[in-house]
């Protein structure tokens, strides 16, 4: 099986060289990996001690960030190496401040694995949530390098738990310890013979709790939210985060028919100019884009941003801060696959949350829907009724928001569990 796996990886590496001609994302995937070994050789000296974290993409990086930050404090003489598999993670966080070196993970071939580990020389390795690369894992095991899975989650449908999954189960034998999110994951991995497992919870809760201690202010958002130049009254504000066209098709109708006392901030998942312009054209309310606000407002009093009723955020990196100004949050993705995006950021600010129907793969969304802090809607009528109730009923807003913030606070602490074990 290992032979077939390696043949598949080699074939895939050759096919990717052809696909780059047609896919900008795959081009980033391939071109970015050309600089990995020169970067490691330049940035990691033979005398350096290192700790390596691997994240599949952006979500896993954010999940592992609290552990990275604590590890950096506990091991100040070590350099932190962060690898990404996906361009959507690397391109957004390649200039992060927690890591000393951030690179793509080379494909899982024998040659790449030998060269990577020889240059990186990690003393400890943390894989975040999932991604099990057999050649990397086997090499780490053979060299006696401690390897951990953090915020792991296992499901019955995974190959580890099937009759044909022996090859994949062998990959799990290389881990020194598993820190999993929930009881179900613990029982699943115990069912195939592993006892080196502990429920730590999800480190994402620690990351979002830490957000509350940071400066989340954005002056231009504060100006936008007022209803009059005297700044006497703020609008009720709905923040729409990580929306897709299927979300927006419902939301636009509500926005266009809403009261002028309600303002909307939309941060689409895809910020390509063509899609942003189409979104703007579909809204009849006075709308401004983040990318054009300075050019427009310098012609008039900058405070005139309050004359707009819809603010489209066609940039990345500020949605978390924007949630701090919301009265209600809508989180997109729930009308597509795999489903809804991250709801923990608005939850930590104590917001009632509205999502689409596809959320069953996400434990935190399922929990908050069951607890009535989050509302799942399937059509326009349900969306309108939910928004109308939350806008008109302050007690309802407060109660649902309180459920969300309490849920986050009650689930923090995964990072400390991991660190206590390592100590």
């Amino acid at each position: 099986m290992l032979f077939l796996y390696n043949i598949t990886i080699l074939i895939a590496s050759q096919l990717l060289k052809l696909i780059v001609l047609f896919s900008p994302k795959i081009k980033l995937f391939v071109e970015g990996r050309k600089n990995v070994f020169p970067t490691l050789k330049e940035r990691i000296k033979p005398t350096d001690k290192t700790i390596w974290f691997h994240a599949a993409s952006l979500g896993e990086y954010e999940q592992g960030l609290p552990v990275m930050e604590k590890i950096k404090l506990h091991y100040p003489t070590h350099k932190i190496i962060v690898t990404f598999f996906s361009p959507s993670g690397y391109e957004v966080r390649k200039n992060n401040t927690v890591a000393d070196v951030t690179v793509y993970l080379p494909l899982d071939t024998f040659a790449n694995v030998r060269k990577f580990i020889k240059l990186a020389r990690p003393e400890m390795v943390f894989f975040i949530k999932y991604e099990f690369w057999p050649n990397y894992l086997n090499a780490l095991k053979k060299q006696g390098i401690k390897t951990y899975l953090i915020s792991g989650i296992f499901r019955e449908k995974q190959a580890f738990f099937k009759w044909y999954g022996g090859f994949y189960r062998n990959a799990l034998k290389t881990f020194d310890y598993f820190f999993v999110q929930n009881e179900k994951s613990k029982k699943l991995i115990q069912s195939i013979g592993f006892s080196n497992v502990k429920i730590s919870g999800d480190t994402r809760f620690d990351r979002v709790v830490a957000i509350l201690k940071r400066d989340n202010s954005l002056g231009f958002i504060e100006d936008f939210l007022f209803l009059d130049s005297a700044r006497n009254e703020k609008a009720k504000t709905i923040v729409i985060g990580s929306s897709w066209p299927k979300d927006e098709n419902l939301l636009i109708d509500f926005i266009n028919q809403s009261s002028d006392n309600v303002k909307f901030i939309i941060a689409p998942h895809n910020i390509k100019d063509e899609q942003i312009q189409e979104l703007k054209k579909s809204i009849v309310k006075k709308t401004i884009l983040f990318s054009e606000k300075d050019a427009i407002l310098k012609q008039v009093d900058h405070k005139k941003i309050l004359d707009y009723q819809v603010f489209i955020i066609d940039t990345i990196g500020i949605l978390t801060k924007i949630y701090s100004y919301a009265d209600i949050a809508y989180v997109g993705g729930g009308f597509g696959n795999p489903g809804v995006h991250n709801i923990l950021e608005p939850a930590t600010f104590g917001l009632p949350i509205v999502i689409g129907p596809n959320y069953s793969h996400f434990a935190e969304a399922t929990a908050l829907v069951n607890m009535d802090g989050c509302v799942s809607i399937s059509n326009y009528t349900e969306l309108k009724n939910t928004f109308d109730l939350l806008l008109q009923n302050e007690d309802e807003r407060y109660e649902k928001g309180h459920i969300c913030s309490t849920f986050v606070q009650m689930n923090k602490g995964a990072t400390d569990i991991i660190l206590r074990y390592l100590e």
Side-chain angles (χ1 to χ4, degrees), residues 24-95:
K25 186 173 182 178
I26 296 299
K27 185 175 182 180
L28 288 172
F29 182 97
V30 173
E31 294 295 322
R33 283 168 165 77
K34 292 180 180 178
N35 298 319
V36 173
F37 298 132
T39 300
L40 287 173
K41 193 170 183 179
E42 177 187 347
R43 305 282 293 278
I44 303 297
K45 299 175 183 176
T47 54
D48 287 337
K49 295 183 289 185
T50 70
I51 298 172
W52 169 27
F53 288 84
H54 175 65
S57 191
L58 182 60
E60 291 70 41
Y61 168 84
E62 299 291 349
Q63 200 159 26
L65 187 57
V67 182
M68 297 179 207
E69 292 172 337
K70 285 286 183 74
I71 286 286
K72 191 161 187 169
L73 290 174
H74 281 71
Y75 298 88
T77 61
H78 287 64
K79 286 187 173 180
I80 304 296
I81 299 172
V82 172
T83 58
F84 286 96
F85 182 76
S86 166
S88 58
Y90 175 80
E91 296 300 327
V92 174
R93 289 291 180 260
K94 60 186 176 184
N95 296 318

Side-chain angles (χ1 to χ4, degrees), residues 59-301:
E60 291 70 41
Y61 168 84
E62 299 291 349
Q63 200 159 26
L65 187 57
V67 182
M68 297 179 207
E69 292 172 337
K70 285 286 183 74
I71 286 286
K72 191 161 187 169
L73 290 174
H74 281 71
Y75 298 88
T77 61
H78 287 64
K79 286 187 173 180
I80 304 296
I81 299 172
V82 172
T83 58
F84 286 96
F85 182 76
S86 166
S88 58
Y90 175 80
E91 296 300 327
V92 174
R93 289 291 180 260
K94 60 186 176 184
N95 296 318
N96 70 82
T97 57
V98 72
D100 298 280
V101 182
T102 302
V103 291
Y104 280 100
L105 181 71
L107 291 178
D108 190 29
T109 66
F110 283 132
N112 284 343
V113 167
R114 282 195 300 268
K115 195 167 185 179
F116 182 90
I117 295 177
K118 182 179 179 180
L119 291 171
R121 293 187 317 283
E123 291 186 8
M124 285 189 289
V125 180
F126 297 87
F127 283 71
I128 304 165
K129 192 175 181 179
Y130 47 53
E131 286 233 318
F132 306 96
W133 299 107
N135 290 326
Y136 277 104
L137 291 170
N138 288 330
L140 293 169
K141 184 70 172 179
K142 287 177 182 176
Q143 295 186 37
I145 299 169
K146 296 288 187 182
T147 305
Y148 305 96
L149 181 72
I150 58 175
S151 288
I153 193 156
F154 292 94
R155 297 186 177 93
E156 293 171 348
K157 293 182 179 180
Q158 290 173 301
F160 310 116
F161 312 107
K162 304 296 184 181
W163 63 267
Y164 54 82
F167 172 71
Y168 301 98
R169 288 192 289 273
N170 284 334
L172 295 182
K173 292 177 182 178
T174 62
F175 284 94
D176 289 88
Y177 215 81
F178 300 90
F179 297 95
V180 296
Q181 294 186 28
N182 52 41
E183 181 71 25
K184 184 177 181 181
S185 293
K186 180 182 179 181
K187 287 182 175 178
L188 278 171
I189 199 165
Q190 285 178 330
S191 73
I192 54 175
F194 293 93
S195 59
N196 53 333
V197 56
K198 185 178 185 67
I199 300 173
S200 62
D202 190 342
T203 51
R204 285 183 304 162
F205 288 96
D206 298 326
R207 189 189 73 79
V208 296
V209 166
I211 289 170
L212 297 174
K213 301 175 184 177
R214 301 173 186 170
D215 179 7
N216 292 300
S217 59
L218 293 168
F220 63 90
I221 293 294
E222 292 177 11
D223 292 337
F224 167 73
L225 296 182
F226 283 101
L227 291 172
D228 59 80
S229 56
R231 300 168 71 89
N232 291 321
E233 184 183 359
K234 282 190 174 181
K236 290 289 186 295
T237 305
I238 297 177
V239 172
I240 298 163
S242 304
S243 61
W244 289 79
K246 286 183 179 180
D247 301 293
E248 292 156 6
N249 288 342
L250 299 183
L251 291 160
I252 287 166
D253 285 343
F254 183 82
I255 292 170
N256 286 339
Q257 298 174 37
S258 66
S259 163
D260 289 344
N261 291 329
V262 180
K263 292 198 174 187
F264 298 85
I265 304 174
I266 310 174
H269 179 77
N270 191 327
I271 57 171
K272 290 182 178 178
D273 184 62
E274 182 179 333
Q275 292 189 22
I276 292 293
Q277 293 299 330
E278 190 157 333
L279 174 61
K280 183 181 179 182
K281 287 177 185 176
S282 67
I283 298 171
V284 299
K285 300 276 187 177
K286 194 172 182 181
T287 302
I288 190 168
L289 307 182
F290 175 87
S291 61
E292 66 185 16
K293 68 177 177 62
D294 290 335
I296 290 175
L297 296 173
K298 74 179 181 181
Q299 301 172 23
V300 294
D301 180 355

Side-chain angles (χ1 to χ4, degrees), residues 11-22 26 30 34:
I11 292 172
S13 67
Q14 297 305 310
L15 287 174
L16 287 170
K17 294 177 182 178
L18 298 175
I19 299 173
V20 296
L21 300 173
F22 310 99
I26 296 299
V30 173
K34 292 180 180 178

